[in-house]
Amino acid sequence: MDALGLGLSLGLAASISPGPLLVLVVTSALRSGRRAGVLAACAPLLSDAAVVGVTLLLLGRLPERALGVLGVVGALFVVWSGVRTVREARTASLEPGASASTAAPGVAALRRAVLVNLLSPHPWVAWATALGPLTVTTWRASTGAGVALLVGFYATLVGGKVVIALVVARGRRHLGDAGYRRALTFAGVLLGLAGVALGVEFAPTLFGG
């Protein structure tokens, strides 16, 4: 498989893999509509610059406990986002007046998604253990192939999540307020569970487990 095809395949798999960012994309699309969902889906384009840069330069030298700290902080933030979503679901409405401003919710969704991606250890681990070495090896063999790998990866990583956001945002119009609140509550619960799972996965490294 050539570098572009490999990047497209890896990005597509990552785009639909369950995790805090995917749930946040769905939650943002449910809460605030298409714009917010699409902006949340684009978070890796902003956050991964720091993830990739720091990973390739430093992360391999950091102690395992550093990942544990990052994971627990990220877990707490994700759980907080889930709790907030559930609380907002109690009075959420699809009435035009309830979501008259599309810019602010979209920017807020993007900021939250960037934070989730930065605080979640999964992108860091993926780049430190698989994507980073693969990118470096491909780049050394051919600069063009390295660029193709990265372009393909992020095209489908972001594109897959954008498609999911658009589908969810389109479907929310047919829910009605009651269905919308149930769906938003369910998404918030999923977000909280994702945070708990993240904490369970990385907390043992804090204690040498």
Side-chain angles (χ1 to χ4, degrees), residues 51-207:
V51 173
V52 174
V54 173
T55 297
L56 296 182
L57 290 176
L58 300 174
L59 195 58
R61 303 177 184 177
L62 293 179
E64 187 177 357
R65 181 166 295 186
L67 279 178
V69 172
L70 187 65
V72 170
V73 172
L76 292 174
F77 181 78
V78 172
V79 169
W80 173 81
S81 296
V83 171
R84 179 180 174 182
T85 299
V86 171
R87 287 179 176 177
E88 291 177 352
R90 298 173 183 173
T91 57
S93 175
L94 289 172
E95 292 298 320
S99 57
S101 173
T102 58
V107 172
L110 177 60
R111 288 174 179 170
R112 191 183 301 185
V114 168
L115 276 175
V116 163
N117 219 37
L118 282 173
L119 293 175
S120 172
H122 292 147
W124 299 86
V125 171
W127 274 99
T129 60
L131 293 173
L134 175 62
T135 300
V136 170
T137 301
T138 305
W139 191 281
R140 286 176 178 173
S142 167
T143 302
V147 171
L149 176 68
L150 290 174
V151 170
F153 178 77
Y154 282 102
T156 48
L157 173 67
V158 174
K161 284 182 167 54
V162 166
V163 170
I164 292 172
L166 293 176
V167 170
V168 172
R170 184 180 181 87
R172 75 193 278 267
R173 302 174 184 175
H174 308 290
L175 289 174
D177 278 355
Y180 172 53
R181 290 170 183 168
R182 285 194 294 268
L184 197 57
T185 298
F186 181 68
V189 171
L190 284 181
L191 198 57
L193 291 175
V196 171
L198 195 62
V200 169
E201 180 178 355
F202 286 93
T205 62
L206 294 177
F207 308 101

